[in-house]
Amino acid sequence: MVHEHPIEVAVYAAKHDYPDLVSQMAPIMISMNFVKVVEMLPPYMVLPWIRYAQEWAKVHREIALVLRHGGREHEYGIRLGAGVHTLRTLDEVFDVSGEHAAIKVYEGGIARSTPNVPECCRKDLEAWRKRIEEGIEKIPTFSSFL
C-alpha cells in the first residue's frame, strides 16, 4: 500500500500518530502532483506540507537546477530543470553509463544532446550529485513540520 497510495498512508499515519511513517511517505509524495497532494491532505497537514515541499524546492533551486563549475554555470549549460520530482530519481538523472550516456547542451536556448560525456564533465556530475544528495539529507523530516 505504501507505494500505491502514499498520500492515504501518510494521512492515516498522521491521524494515528505514526510520525516515522508520515516522514517515510513524504519523499515519495514529493514526486506527485502538488495540487493533488494538497487536495487529499486534511487541513491541518496542508501548511506543514507546503513548508516541507519548499525545502525540496530550495534544494532544487539552489543546488540542483544548474551545474556550477568554479562558482559559475558549467560551460555546457547543464541543467536539471524538469522539477523537484527529479530529485527522487537521481539514478536515472545521473546515469552516464552505456550507450544512452549524453548531456544536454544549451546553445542559444536550444538543447541538443552530446553523444559522449567527457571525463571532466563526469567528475563535475559526480560532485553535483553529491551536493544534491547532501542537500536532500539536510531536509527536515515531514513530521517535524507537523
Side-chain angles (χ1 to χ4, degrees), residues 48-115:
W49 173 254
I50 291 170
R51 288 182 176 139
Y52 177 74
Q54 282 182 323
E55 292 296 317
W56 282 84
K58 181 180 175 184
V59 170
H60 184 258
R61 180 181 62 250
E62 294 179 4
I63 302 171
L65 188 59
V66 177
L67 172 59
R68 301 208 173 272
H69 181 79
R72 296 177 31 211
E73 187 170 324
H74 193 275
E75 64 183 297
Y76 284 115
I78 300 171
R79 298 180 165 270
L80 184 62
V84 172
H85 65 279
T86 57
L87 299 178
R88 294 283 303 144
T89 58
L90 294 180
D91 286 339
E92 291 176 29
V93 171
F94 287 95
D95 182 11
V96 293
S97 62
E99 62 188 62
H100 299 293
I103 56 175
K104 286 193 176 173
V105 178
Y106 292 86
E107 294 174 351
I110 299 172
R112 66 177 179 80
S113 291
T114 64

Side-chain angles (χ1 to χ4, degrees), residues 69 74-76 117-126:
H69 181 79
H74 193 275
E75 64 183 297
Y76 284 115
V117 180
E119 185 61 31
C120 61
C121 291
R122 285 179 189 262
K123 290 179 182 176
D124 288 345
L125 290 172
E126 288 171 12

Side-chain angles (χ1 to χ4, degrees), residues 1-15 21-22 25-26 28-42 45 49 142:
M1 297 296 287
V2 169
H3 293 290
E4 294 171 16
H5 303 285
I7 299 171
E8 293 87 346
V9 171
V11 169
Y12 175 87
K15 182 178 179 180
L21 186 56
V22 172
M25 296 296 90
I28 296 169
M29 293 164 39
I30 208 73
S31 300
M32 301 173 69
N33 179 291
F34 185 82
V35 173
K36 181 178 177 161
V37 171
V38 169
E39 288 174 344
M40 294 182 74
L41 291 174
M45 289 179 73
W49 173 254
F142 177 61

